[in-house]
Amino acid sequence: MRFTVRPGCLMLALLGALSAGLPAQAAEPPIRVGVLAYRGGDHANAVWEPTVRYLADRFLRRGAEMVPLDLPGMDAAVAAGSVDFVLTNTGNYVELEARHGVTRIATLHSSRSGASGAAVGSALIVRAGRDDIRSLADLKGKSVMAVDPDAFGGFQIAWGAMLTAGVDPYTDLKELRFSGFPVDRVAFAVRDGAVDAGVLRACVLEELAAEGHLDRAAFQIVGTRTEPGFGCALSTGLYPDWPLARLAKTPEDLAKAVVVALFQMPDGHPAALVGGYEGWTVPMDYQPVHGLFRSLRIGPYEHLRDVTLLDLAREHWHWLALAALALLWWAVHSLRVEHLIKVRTAELRAANRELRHEMAERRRAEDTARERQKEMDHVARLSILGEMASNIAHELNQPLGAIANYARGCTRRLEAGVGSAAEFAEASRAIAAQADRAGQIIARIRDFVRKRAVQLEPADVNGAVEAALQLCEGRARSGNIPVTRDLTPGLPPVLADRVQIEQVVLNLVKNALDAMDDGAGEGRGVTVRTGLDGEGRVEIAVADRGHGLSEDARARLFDPFFTTKPGGMGLGLSICRTIVESHGGHLWATDHPGGGTVVRFVLPAAEEKVDAG
Ligand code: ADP
């Protein structure tokens, strides 16, 4: 809105021109002073016209005229260059300075200035008796009215103070309303209870009261502050008073002349009295106003509020580039790692498959080998038993012959009618004993040749030796070869398959007997010895006084199919060694010191083996 120039002003200009003795159509137009009419045109005219008239009196040739303007009007007039000077509030000045390059040339020295010279602040008012709103922080959740978002003392200073107190008027209030000019409306709204609190430029309340518009006692101030020398009620700090500023296009000389004229205004001049100020002083520092606007991000700092993504990107492009690079590196790295993992997983899977296949193959091979070994053991046992069959038959003959003899003797005695019942009972017991013996021999043969799985259990070595010797006793006796037992009693058991141990002993004894078949060797005989070796293992030695080992036999003793015997298979010793080694033992042959051969083997004691396992 733009107020038209009051006729009075034009009259003044004309008067000025006349008193300067110049024609009215002087080439120079009057000095135009834009004045912020914050309480309406009439109020502005009443307050500032005398000041402008004072200037007109000092510039008689040009005269001076006042242009009352509201905030948008002020901006438009400055932009259009339709005024030479502006007399405006502090906040508006800072904006005009930033936007249009106006420069302050004097600051109003207000009669109500504080000791610092600053005179603009805000007062937050509530109705008297509102004890619930004492500090600025109490405004949270309340309704507040201010004149205009662009009003400096009328809103912006209070806004900054409220933010400092932790209340953002735009988010923390129940309602924020703007009444528009004139500011009287704010005070009335508070008085009438339309809002909880109102923001006024400091001293406006006092002015309204002095003018009789309202009763000062009906209001109280929120968060009262005192500034030395400042006479009005105040809720905030103080900022410099209104400046008079020249436009960029305003000639330097004119500006200087106007400043001089203002500084020379005599004390108590009516213009000052009407304007409510004492005079003019050098332009004050408006940096605190910049600070306030910067923190509120308004006026010249409004751009801080609208920071776009593009602005951010422009400002921090190097960080963004770095982040993009890092992201790219990370993506490439991740892809590479993922690829490697895939490749390695595939490799591992293939290796696993191969391993499983190999393991299955090995298990199959082991099963087959075990089966073969079992077959071979069986065949070997059958074969060795076959070799001994005639002797075993002879062995069986003995109990059977004894049974027959006992039976015949009993028959004869019965027929002759001799013999007591006790004698017959004795004979019957003898028959039974012989039958048991024959039965045992048969059972042992059956056990020995039975096809069976290997069974490891604690076995008594002396018992196994005894069982083996019984199977070849007949053979020894028929060859007239004494078999001596030198068995150490109380040996620890060995963890073994007892039949296999018997098989080994039987083989060794059979070989020993074979070595003496030709009648060679002095003091013929076989000794089977058991005992403990130096390392706590159970040792079994079969010593003979036979023909001993030839060089060839010594070298190839354990080779499968190596035999020097007609009809021999050459498997006995190789099978014996396999059996002993599968029990964790060891088998070897040495020469007998007195001629002949000693073949011995050791087996770990059961406890030792169990512990070790
Ligand atoms: P086989 O008894 O069927 O020949 P072995 O493997 O039991 O098969 O024996 C292989 C060979 O080792 C025998 O043929 C024999 O020459 C020799 N041998 C084994 N034991 C003795 C021994 N106690 N004295 C001399 N030679 C032996």
Side-chain angles (χ1 to χ4, degrees), residues 447-458:
D447 275 357
F448 192 72
V449 297
R450 191 155 45 101
K451 210 172 182 180
R452 48 191 283 288
V454 173
Q455 281 173 0
L456 292 182
E457 50 199 11

Side-chain angles (χ1 to χ4, degrees), residues 255 342 345 450 472 496 583:
K342 256 187 208 150
T345 310
R450 191 155 45 101
C472 51
H583 283 77

